[in-house]
Amino acid sequence: MLEKRSQIILLKDFYGPLLTEKQQDVMDLHYENDWSLAEIADHMKITRQGVYDILKRAETALKEYEDRLGLVGRFRETRHRLQEVYELILDQPEGMAKYKALQILEEISAML
């Protein structure tokens, strides 16, 4: 459950502006402020089912944007590769670490 929440929040960080304002508001209240569907429904003067439908449509849209654009995947890969560089510089002998770190940085540069 926590993993799903983290994934949705990350997708929203990247693709949130592509959602409608209402979808953004509902997602903020539910995922970032931890409001229940009933609390959101009361606040927005809509039904609980309406809130649920908005959330599901927004989640589906975010996943479709990621499937098409892959920005979150590239972000995670870049972050992983940068962590590798950091560990290489810390853990390996000077010459080898520098060569491997430069190689990884070139790969990252090519991805961007």
Side-chain angles (χ1 to χ4, degrees), residues 7-32:
Q7 175 69 7
I8 294 294
I9 290 171
L10 187 58
L11 288 171
K12 187 183 167 298
D13 287 344
F14 276 83
Y15 304 113
L18 300 174
L19 299 174
T20 67
E21 189 172 328
K22 194 171 201 173
Q23 287 174 325
Q24 290 178 49
D25 292 343
V26 168
M27 291 198 81
D28 283 341
L29 292 172
H30 185 66
Y31 285 106
E32 295 181 23

Side-chain angles (χ1 to χ4, degrees), residues 46-75:
I46 59 176
T47 65
R48 185 184 175 286
Q49 183 64 45
V51 172
Y52 177 83
D53 290 343
I54 291 169
L55 278 173
K56 289 303 160 193
R57 272 186 256 126
E59 289 172 13
T60 299
L62 292 173
K63 290 172 185 172
E64 287 175 359
Y65 292 137
E66 177 59 16
D67 289 344
R68 289 184 200 144
L69 302 172
L71 297 177
V72 174
R74 278 191 263 161
F75 169 76

